[in-house]
Amino acid sequence: DAKHLVPNKMRDFFCTINLDQEEVFRTQVVEKSLSPYFGEEFYFEIPRTFQWLSFYIYDKSVLQKDLRIGKVSIKKEDLCSYTGKENWFMLQPVDSNSEVQGKVHLELKLNELITDNGSVCQQLVVHIKECHGLPLINGQNCDPYATVSLVGPSRNDQKKTKVKKKTSNPQFNETFYFEVTRSSSYTKKSQFQVEEEDIEKLEVRVDLWNNGNLVQDIFLGEVKVPVKVLRNDSFQAWYLLQPRENGNKSKTDDLGSLRLNICYTEDCVLPSEYYTSLRNLLLKSSDVQPISASAAYILSEVCRDKYDAVLPLVRLLVHHHKLVPFVAAVAELDLKDTQEANTVFRGNSLATRCVDEMMKIVGKHYLKVTLKPVIDEICESPKPCEIDPIKLREGDNVEINMENLRYYVDKVFREIVQSSISCPTLMCDVFYSLRHLSAKRFPNDPHVQYSAVSSFVFLRFFAVAVVSPHTFHLRPHHPDAQTSRTLTLISKAIQTLGSWGSLSKSKLSSFKETFMCEFFKAFQEEKFTESVKKFLDDVSSTESKEPSGLSEPVHLKEGEMYKRAQGRTRIGKKNFKKRWFCLTSREFTYHKQQDKEPIFTIPIKNILAVEKLDENSFNKKNMFQVLHGEKPLYIQANNCVEASEWIEALCRVTRCNQKRLSFYHPSAFLNGNWLCCKATIENTVGCARCTAQIEIDGDRETERIYSLFTINMSKLQKLEEACGSIAVYQGPRKEPDDYSNFIIEDSLATFHTLKQIIDIVEKLNESHEKYQKKRSSSARYGSE
């Protein structure tokens, strides 16, 4: 949220998130406010390098361009210091001279020249090599050029490079020469006189500009280097472009402030072979006896927050098809401590958190297919559903509201119990395992095998997605207060409907509120109980289920992007046009406008590959290609995050297609040849292997786990000491500490695993240090 915004009167505000100058998200507009509350959450992978994460507050205008009120810009290097904390940031003024990004590669040196008469003078050589990551101008690559100046108290010599067309990464490779000092015998009168000591006051300035042609050139950033640092050395470095020092100097304390909660993580992922030992140790965790002596279990115990450990661990185990045996092993440990059947898997143990995370990873598509249509209906044409007498507003009819709520609950419930055909195989395998372990632990309770599954699929999956659809990407924004309340009531009802044991015993004890007990009496019918039982049977079965193909297609993603004309007609121009794209579970289409009939349709089963497209194909950023039977469909997204999200969504829905390609062309076929491999036959086999768009990067997850072990190294070492001491297995320790709650069932096995973890982490530490040294010697950021 924001407060005390100027101009000091009620306006309509929205906020954007930018990577450098590229907008990647924007909030909804909050109308008529001076202190707007946005309350929105964006989670995204950052698919490219960047310098600044920025937030802009805009005043929404109907007739004119939206006005930028102010901004908060946080340097990439500083993000970690703000992570996980709420902070108020003062808004800074937005000034075109401060909107910079990118870097420039310079080589600078001072040469000594001997003149004809034998005296010595100095010459400055500036070699401007290239730039990287310059901003887009109006969504397109810029036309950059550089000016190089030697500036001092009484001089300003300036030279200029050639303009490079349509590129954010221009290669200049131009060298400029400046006379720094003249020999003492130099007598010709000139506009400046330079003495040797003046070198202390001289500096090289490099300014980057976008060539405006008929309009004013746009400043892209500058670099200043004092000449005195070059006395003894040829200096070559990358310099981050900086804002102009003479930019907007207006007061910054009167623009208002913005409250942000940022969570940022960054990992340096080494080549795959570096992680072999750690990966193998983690993957064999389910085979270790007892499970509490395994590397994966130890990881969850030493992390202060179990969630930090569970996220990368589950992703790694899913990626290598090792999750089911591990969950079974930790669930069995969980069940040992469970004394009553009706409390099975109700806590926040390692087992329950692993299953929660697994459902989020593999169940995204399942949730969309099952819930998105009905959630859309509830959010877009909401009916009043409040049935709490205390919260009823004047004029509300509780009978009508109860009927509306009954209609929604009935519809959501029906969608869920008919969805078993779409439940991912991994979820079914895990539920099968939990069901049988629970029945074995409580052989005299006939309901426990069902409550073990319903405690996850109803309580922790569907009910949570209903109450917060934006978190599971079922809706782009938070619902309004009335809709949010409706979703909460539906979620409560779904939780109780899913508790098969409660239903079958005709219990309404799960409701604390009398009004919910009254409402729920309408669902005390055998058909509901039987529907739940059949659904739970289906989703905890390992038998394969064939989809019927009769279900309605589900909308998965839509939005506006640019597509290149595919040249299906001879006379049509091959230019880029704005189109509305729509992805469903059945087809990928584009339309002239939203809600119009599709112009072009690709059935999902016909998509052969979805890959990024090289920027040099059309000198445009954020492009990808959809390969199908005809010519490739080339599409430009509005930003880098949107492009990667579309690629992921398309890959997810086409991952089972049987005719997926193994090779593709990373560039386009233009002027009779492929730009990537120069082949002249248009339908020739691709020159690059398809990336397969793996949703989980196993190396990255292993690197995250290594980082967690590194952070908690002191705990690992103390546990190693504890395992080695007789006190652990011959009596209680005298001094309780952080580790007194740690389970050490088998001190020898645990000691052995801890020793392996510590050795592996120390080796990886060395590898990271070598890499960082190599990196720092190969690229110096001169302006840091």
Side-chain angles (χ1 to χ4, degrees), residues 414-462:
R414 197 166 60 249
E415 291 294 338
I416 292 172
V417 295
Q418 291 174 358
S419 72
S420 59
I421 200 84
S422 307
C423 188
T425 308
L426 181 60
M427 281 175 69
C428 294
D429 289 346
V430 168
F431 294 153
Y432 175 82
S433 179
L434 298 177
R435 176 181 176 171
H436 285 272
L437 285 167
S438 303
K440 183 179 162 189
R441 171 72 177 86
F442 297 100
N444 300 322
D445 190 317
H447 303 302
V448 74
Q449 59 174 314
Y450 294 107
S451 59
V453 178
S454 68
S455 64
F456 287 107
V457 73
F458 276 100
L459 273 66
R460 292 172 173 261
F461 188 57
F462 284 120

Side-chain angles (χ1 to χ4, degrees), residues 752-766:
H752 179 65
T753 306
L754 283 162
K755 189 165 185 346
Q756 286 179 283
I757 293 169
I758 292 166
D759 289 347
I760 289 168
V761 168
E762 284 172 354
K763 280 181 186 169
L764 274 167
N765 283 343
E766 289 173 17

Side-chain angles (χ1 to χ4, degrees), residues 201-219:
K201 300 172 185 174
L202 292 177
E203 67 179 8
V204 180
R205 196 175 80 207
V206 178
D207 294 80
L208 267 293
W209 300 85
N210 177 60
N211 184 36
N213 290 324
L214 300 175
V215 294
Q216 189 174 357
D217 292 355
I218 298 171
F219 174 76

Side-chain angles (χ1 to χ4, degrees), residues 385-389 392 395-404:
C385 294
E386 185 55 75
I387 59 172
D388 182 351
L392 282 171
D396 279 357
N397 184 319
V398 74
E399 295 300 323
I400 291 173
N401 287 9
M402 196 171 278
E403 196 52 46
N404 291 340

Side-chain angles (χ1 to χ4, degrees), residues 606-623:
N606 291 357
I607 295 177
L608 307 174
V610 183
E611 296 285 349
K612 289 180 180 176
L613 187 72
D614 277 358
E615 186 184 314
N616 61 10
S617 298
F618 302 103
N619 280 322
K620 291 180 186 290
K621 284 183 177 291
N622 307 321
M623 288 203 67

Side-chain angles (χ1 to χ4, degrees), residues 510-527:
S510 57
F511 287 125
K512 296 183 182 75
E513 307 101 330
T514 315
F515 64 88
M516 285 302 283
C517 291
E518 286 301 311
F519 168 74
F520 209 77
K521 283 177 182 174
F523 293 92
Q524 288 291 292
E525 297 174 27
E526 198 173 320
K527 67 173 184 179

